[in-house]
Amino acid sequence: MVDQPNFGVLGPLLVRRAGQALRVAGRKPRLLLASLLLEANQIVGSDALIEVLWPARAPSSAVANLRTYVSALRGPVSAAGGRIVTHPSGYAVELAAGQLDMLLFEELVERARAAGRTGEAARHLRDALALWRGTPLSDLPASPVWDGRLRALVQARLAAAEELAEAKLAREEYAAAVDDLRGLIGEHPYREDLWQRLIVALHRGGRRAEALHAYTEIRRQLVDDLGIEPGPDLRDAHAAVLADEEPARLGYQPPVPHQLPADVPDFTGRATDVTTLTRLLSEPAPLPPSGPPVVVVVTGPPGIGKTALAVHCAHAVRDAYPEGQLHLSLGGTAEAPAAPADLLAEALRSLGVAESALPASAHERATLYRSLLAGRPVLVLLDDAADAAQVRPLLPGSGCAVLVTSRRRITELPGAVLLELDALTPAEGGELLARIAGAHRVAAEPEAARTIVAACAGLPLALRVAGARLAARPGWSLQELRRRLDDESTRLDELRAGDLEVRASVELSYRRLPGEAALTLRALGLLGPGTVPGWVADAVLDRHRSDAVVDALVDVSLLRLVGTDPLGQPRYRLPDLVRCTARERADGDAERQALARVLGGWTSAAEHAAARLPTTLFSVPAGAAPRWRPADELLGRLTADPLTWFDAEREALVEAVRLAASHGPAQAAWGLAATLVPYFDLHCRLEEWRLTHQVALDSAAAAGDRRGEAAMLRGLAQVSIYQDRYAEAAGMLRRARVIFRELGDARGEAISICGLGAADEFSGRHRRALGWFRHALAMFLAEGDADGEAYARQAIGRVHLSLQDLGQASRWLGEALRLAGELGDDHREGCVSMQFGRLHTLAAEPDEAMRFQGRALDIFETLGDRHCGAYALRSLGGLHAARGDRSHGSAELQRSLEIFQQLGDRSGEADAFQALGELYRAAGRPMLAAHYLHRAVDLRSQLRAGAPAAG
């Protein structure tokens, strides 16, 4: 037996403390308190309270009077352990479940149902029914506002009493069950199910004659009073008594819902997801009746096939749920998602609750819903959920499984397992297309089919639309649809068939986005298919720490978190067809300004990282290219290791140059391209160097941006020099020199002249190269450019080395080495040290040569410059080999070869093959020597023929 709570509505209104009743004076304060207690822990609107207090006509002072009554109630309510809370729309009384008889009753009944037909269940039911002291609020005048709540309470009491009688029958406590049932029949004399239970209890208790008399009594009442015969269940019970048998069924049998939508006949792929989901829904089997429900949330972007997978797996496990399968469509992507109260009403009707018996409030409906499902193995499929708040009231209390589909990543539900769907694999996509459009057509045009699957991004909805279009047009070739899908700007127009449309599916989610999230999505749609770091959203919104906006897009599956890069940054990508939808909408000033900030952010970050690189290759400053600076702390952290940052962002940076070239201004494109040169040079990324500079050159030329045109020509010429295309390089350098001179940019002109010198030097025209380098040196001196001066002096010394003029070479290299030391330019010191190593090699001073080459290698390894380090290694390997130390020489040459191959420097690779071939020839291993020498010849032939020199 439980103690009576301090607040009671299951009988006359009760408020007490320590067993003593507290006085609540006045009818209206008591009506007010009763209204709040009936909706305990929920806000009751002031309008509803006024209707209870003044049912005929409220006075003009009703609101003020209501405040007065609330104030008067605070004392006794507080004394009894409760609290009245004021809200803008009304009032609420806050209580623990054990403080109000109504709440305690509902809790005890739910515990009983979770316990099944056990002694514990019977105890809970007895305790629950003992809380009733009569008709609810019998000491107060009735109010229409209360009708639904009071009617539900009476029905709940009757259901609990019936269940207690059932429990007693199950425990063979027949006499007690008969007493309970006679009491219930006294209240409900025409309830045939109660009379049926009474007849069964009497029969089982050995009181057969009384059982037959009971049937005679109810039959007479029904015929005399209502003019009807007993129903089939009651007649079956009577027949069973006459035959001295058990009735075939006892009492009311709740309906067993079988509401799953039809399975998808051409469901394809997702073997791992199907295995995972069916295992979660069917193990352990059977579900423990008193355990918490299994909850699985299937999530993913629009059109990914969440519902198809959920329905398919629900059908696969339905035999494990003999008590039924409920299906509710939550309308989470609609303008107004379904309210939990309405969904609960739909579920309760499916479970046999009559419309007139539906409780009034969502809370009461949820309680009844949990009670009806308690201990029953029922599968509940909640399709298209908006969020956790919509799902939470629909979770049964025990013994069931719940399968939720949602575009939102719902992780707030305790114990829920999240299953996130990705696109179909190319093979799965091809199979689905074949099953819809026809296997023979797909087999006849396999390449077009693969392209269609790729254009659909493996999205089942898009593939279904594509297949439906082909099926409706048997005269079309797959090549025709492939052609139509090629253009991203019109792809969504093609992915439409009847009421299936990819664009419309994505826009259902887009329309629910708040303003900043919508702008971010549109701007990200312009950035291409690659991944981006989170700070890009900061640039879009022109503020720092926009993590919440990014998280919001991830949560609704419009933006995908694809992993973490080596810098520890999360990387994000828009699903391809979401990106197409976003880009369609990105046609306003806000998006253009956002894109400009993003490109400016890439330029600022690249400049910050490039300034920390060791290479000193000439590059033209980005000048007045637009900038947007990420937060200093973030920028410093990300670029602390500049090479790792460039490696992580390389694809995004190349795409950013393309975007800048397409959307303008041209200065943004060539400024960013120029900023990337030190990284491209250090890692020998020659193809990306050429690509970025070519698109930026075209953009600058189209915009009439002469400085940009000259800068990009100079950069492209350097790539041609590295690829041994010296005539091509010289042509571009001459054009760049002319433009720089016209612009009055002496440094730019001097840099171009240095390039002309390098092209002649490596072509063997050493005297002409000296002229160019001396000319450039004079210009650098006039400009006061010490870095340029150091480079020019080193270049002059290098040419003298090639001319075997060791005295002049030593003089010029010595001056370059002194300048490098004064400037603190370690990289230049390393480059000059390599040249001094060459000088001492030519002077037959191997010890000094090795000392300088070793010094160069130490510098490059300290700076992290593997490329220049590979050249120093190659030289050291040759020196060791020349001294007869072929073991060390071979190891160093092999290391240099590996680095050249990793970096894609095919010219350096050819030199390393040549050195290894000569080493093995000297060692008397002609076959191995021939292998390496042939590789060197082949590579140089490819380079002369114009084959790509970098990967």
Side-chain angles (χ1 to χ4, degrees):
M1 179 70 70
V2 296
D3 294 332
Q4 279 284 344
N6 284 351
F7 295 90
V9 294
L10 303 181
L13 181 66
L14 174 68
V15 182
R16 62 182 184 174
R17 180 180 59 183
Q20 298 297 315
L22 297 176
R23 183 169 179 269
V24 178
R27 189 180 69 172
K28 282 187 168 45
R30 290 173 65 79
L31 287 167
L32 172 58
L33 179 57
S35 300
L36 295 176
L37 290 173
L38 286 173
E39 302 293 341
N41 299 316
Q42 298 186 75
I43 301 168
V44 183
S46 296
D47 291 344
L49 294 173
I50 289 171
E51 185 178 345
V52 172
L53 299 185
W54 294 280
R57 186 166 180 270
S60 59
S61 60
V63 174
N65 292 349
L66 181 60
R67 284 198 296 268
T68 301
Y69 296 143
V70 169
S71 180
L73 285 176
R74 291 188 190 277
V77 169
S78 177
R83 186 166 78 101
I84 295 180
V85 179
T86 302
H87 293 266
S89 60
Y91 301 90
V93 61
E94 293 185 349
L95 304 167
Q99 291 181 289
L100 175 61
D101 57 7
M102 178 186 73
L103 296 180
L104 183 56
F105 168 77
E106 291 171 343
E107 182 180 295
L108 289 168
V109 170
E110 193 163 333
R111 286 186 204 166
R113 287 168 177 160
R117 293 183 178 181
T118 63
E120 181 186 2
R123 187 178 69 254
H124 287 320
L125 289 169
R126 278 193 296 269
D127 289 344
L129 292 167
L131 293 169
W132 285 73
R133 298 171 286 108
T135 303
L137 300 175
S138 56
D139 60 331
L140 292 173
S143 170
V145 176
W146 299 346
D147 284 351
R149 186 68 171 116
L150 295 181
R151 184 168 58 249
L153 280 173
V154 171
Q155 290 169 344
R157 174 182 174 273
L158 175 59
E162 292 175 359
E163 289 171 34
L164 179 57
E166 287 280 4
K168 289 178 179 178
L169 278 174
R171 292 169 58 79
E172 300 183 0
E173 298 173 3
Y174 301 124
V178 166
D179 291 340
D180 290 349
L181 288 165
R182 288 198 185 280
L184 291 172
I185 287 170
E187 298 175 24
H188 306 277
Y190 299 109
R191 282 278 301 270
E192 292 188 35
D193 57 325
L194 296 177
W195 282 97
Q196 181 196 8
R197 287 187 176 89
L198 175 62
I199 291 168
V200 171
L202 289 167
H203 183 208
R204 289 179 181 174
R207 298 156 68 176
R208 189 178 179 202
E210 290 181 62
L212 292 171
H213 178 73
Y215 177 77
T216 301
E217 184 179 353
I218 180 55
R219 180 179 181 279
R220 184 179 64 249
Q221 284 181 208
L222 292 172
V223 171
D224 293 348
D225 297 347
L226 304 178
I228 59 173
E229 287 287 343
D233 290 342
L234 197 50
R235 294 198 302 272
D236 287 347
H238 178 236
V241 175
L242 289 173
D244 202 14
E245 297 172 348
E246 281 291 312
R249 56 182 182 170
L250 179 61
Y252 169 73
Q253 300 296 316
V256 176
H258 297 285
Q259 298 181 338
L260 293 179
D263 197 359
V264 181
D266 51 17
F267 184 87
T268 303
R270 299 209 183 282
T272 301
D273 294 325
V274 169
T275 300
T276 300
L277 190 50
T278 53
R279 176 179 54 79
L280 289 169
L281 294 175
S282 57
E283 294 181 5
L287 292 169
S290 59
V294 173
V295 181
V296 185
V297 179
V298 179
T299 188
I304 202 69
K306 300 178 289 294
T307 298
L309 175 69
V311 170
H312 181 71
C313 292
H315 278 282
V317 301
R318 63 183 175 185
D319 289 346
Y321 299 93
E323 290 290 326
Q325 305 90 40
L326 276 172
H327 172 259
L328 295 172
S329 180
L330 277 60
T333 52
E335 289 291 335
D342 295 336
L343 293 165
L344 286 164
E346 181 181 344
L348 290 172
R349 285 191 290 267
S350 299
L351 294 170
V353 178
E355 189 73 35
S356 61
L358 287 174
S361 70
H363 171 73
E364 294 166 314
R365 291 176 181 180
T367 300
L368 180 57
Y369 170 76
R370 290 193 299 272
S371 298
L372 292 175
L373 291 182
R376 296 174 63 185
V378 173
L379 176 62
V380 181
L381 175 54
L382 305 177
D383 192 24
D384 191 19
D387 51 33
Q390 188 189 32
V391 170
R392 200 172 283 114
L394 302 170
L395 297 180
S398 59
C400 297
V402 182
L403 180 52
V404 183
T405 71
S406 179
R407 297 184 182 187
R408 178 175 289 276
R409 302 175 78 254
I410 299 177
T411 57
E412 307 95 312
L413 303 174
V417 177
L418 190 72
L419 180 61
E420 190 164 5
L421 300 188
D422 207 341
L424 296 178
T425 66
E428 291 171 338
E431 183 182 350
L432 178 58
L433 184 67
R435 296 182 72 174
I436 300 169
H440 62 288
R441 297 174 72 183
V442 170
E445 298 182 74
E447 186 56 39
R450 282 191 288 271
T451 307
I452 290 169
V453 171
C456 292
L459 197 72
L461 173 61
L463 288 164
R464 188 163 296 282
V465 172
R469 295 199 72 192
L470 289 169
R473 296 162 177 80
W476 266 15
S477 65
L478 269 67
Q479 184 66 23
E480 171 62 19
L481 181 59
R482 183 210 63 76
R483 182 188 64 78
R484 290 171 175 242
L485 293 175
D486 270 351
D487 186 351
E488 277 197 356
S489 66
T490 59
R491 184 174 297 169
L492 294 175
D493 293 330
E494 300 297 331
L495 292 175
R496 180 190 309 168
D499 62 346
L500 296 177
E501 184 180 355
V502 173
R503 180 189 286 112
S505 179
V506 175
E507 287 185 342
L508 287 173
S509 291
Y510 173 80
R511 287 197 294 266
R512 294 179 58 81
L513 292 176
E516 285 193 334
L519 172 59
T520 303
L521 185 74
R522 297 194 302 272
L524 292 178
L526 296 172
L527 300 185
T531 68
V532 294
W535 68 258
V536 167
D538 294 356
V540 168
L541 300 174
D542 199 16
R543 64 178 175 83
H544 299 313
R545 301 308 302 268
S546 60
D547 303 22
V549 175
V550 173
D551 290 344
L553 290 172
V554 171
D555 285 344
V556 296
S557 300
L558 290 176
L559 182 65
R560 202 164 192 90
L561 173 63
V562 295
T564 301
D565 63 24
L567 298 164
Q569 293 183 110
R571 308 292 299 188
Y572 302 93
R573 176 188 285 120
L574 288 180
D576 283 349
L577 296 179
V578 172
R579 177 172 53 81
C580 290
T581 307
R583 193 175 62 185
E584 281 186 345
R585 291 177 164 270
D587 57 357
D589 288 340
E591 291 79 27
R592 283 188 285 274
Q593 292 168 11
L595 177 60
R597 288 191 295 271
V598 170
L599 297 174
W602 282 123
T603 302
S604 292
E607 285 177 331
H608 197 78
R612 302 183 179 194
L613 292 177
T615 183
T616 57
L617 182 80
F618 290 127
S619 61
V620 178
R627 306 291 200 283
W628 186 90
R629 188 175 176 85
D632 288 342
E633 180 275 329
L634 175 69
L635 197 56
R637 175 164 50 83
L638 294 180
T639 60
D641 182 350
L643 278 175
T644 301
W645 182 84
F646 273 115
D647 286 341
E649 303 295 4
R650 175 172 52 86
E651 292 181 4
L653 289 163
V654 171
E655 181 63 26
V657 174
R658 282 200 191 97
L659 281 169
S662 299
H663 295 271
Q667 196 169 56
W670 73 257
L672 180 54
T675 305
L676 300 179
V677 165
Y679 167 70
F680 288 153
D681 179 53
L682 196 61
H683 271 210
C684 208
R685 295 277 183 187
L686 301 188
E687 287 310 302
E688 287 157 331
W689 186 344
R690 179 180 292 280
L691 170 66
T692 54
H693 276 54
Q694 189 61 59
V695 297
L697 173 62
D698 293 343
S699 174
D705 187 332
R706 300 284 282 163
R707 182 175 299 279
E709 192 175 349
M712 295 300 95
L713 284 168
R714 173 64 185 90
L716 285 167
Q718 189 66 42
V719 175
S720 296
I721 288 172
Y722 282 156
Q723 294 178 333
D724 298 343
R725 296 202 280 263
Y726 303 119
E728 178 182 277
M732 289 187 283
L733 288 164
R734 283 190 290 270
R735 289 167 59 195
R737 179 190 180 189
V738 169
I739 297 172
F740 279 129
R741 183 191 298 163
E742 290 173 354
L743 295 171
D745 185 343
R747 182 176 183 276
E749 184 181 357
I751 291 172
S752 301
I753 291 172
C754 284
L756 287 166
D760 279 337
E761 176 190 358
F762 299 131
S763 300
R765 293 186 287 271
H766 297 109
R767 295 295 177 187
R768 195 158 75 173
L770 273 178
W772 288 121
F773 287 133
R774 289 179 184 280
H775 188 177
L777 174 61
M779 296 184 74
F780 286 131
L781 288 169
E783 290 292 310
D785 186 340
D787 291 306
E789 179 190 348
Y791 172 82
R793 291 185 184 279
Q794 177 198 344
I796 292 170
R798 190 175 65 226
V799 175
H800 280 299
L801 270 180
S802 299
L803 292 170
Q804 304 288 307
D805 187 345
L806 303 189
Q808 285 295 315
S810 179
R811 172 194 156 205
W812 287 98
L813 290 174
E815 290 173 355
L817 191 61
R818 174 186 58 77
L819 266 176
E822 291 173 359
L823 293 169
D825 187 346
D826 292 341
H827 195 271
R828 179 65 53 208
E829 181 183 346
C831 292
V832 177
S833 294
M834 277 204 301
Q835 300 305 321
F836 264 118
R838 281 185 61 209
L839 186 151
H840 288 293
T841 299
L842 292 172
E845 298 169 348
D847 290 339
E848 279 299 290
M850 292 188 72
R851 184 175 70 82
F852 272 104
Q853 295 292 2
R855 170 63 178 153
L857 180 60
D858 287 343
I859 289 173
F860 294 138
E861 287 185 340
T862 300
L863 294 175
D865 185 349
R866 297 174 67 231
H867 194 197
C868 286
Y871 281 98
L873 271 172
R874 189 193 64 188
S875 297
L876 281 169
L879 288 167
H880 275 114
R883 298 180 67 170
D885 187 354
R886 297 190 181 95
S887 176
H888 276 96
S890 174
E892 288 164 340
L893 289 171
Q894 285 288 354
R895 281 177 58 200
S896 72
L897 175 63
E898 290 170 4
I899 295 171
F900 288 135
Q901 288 174 331
Q902 290 168 5
L903 296 179
D905 182 349
R906 301 185 72 187
S907 178
E909 185 182 353
D911 290 344
F913 275 129
Q914 180 77 30
L916 281 164
E918 292 171 356
L919 182 150
Y920 288 119
R921 184 166 56 192
R925 302 177 65 180
M927 292 185 65
L928 191 57
H931 166 74
Y932 282 111
L933 292 171
H934 282 135
R935 292 291 302 275
V937 170
D938 287 345
L939 276 171
R940 290 188 174 120
S941 297
Q942 292 174 25
L943 288 169
R944 281 193 297 272

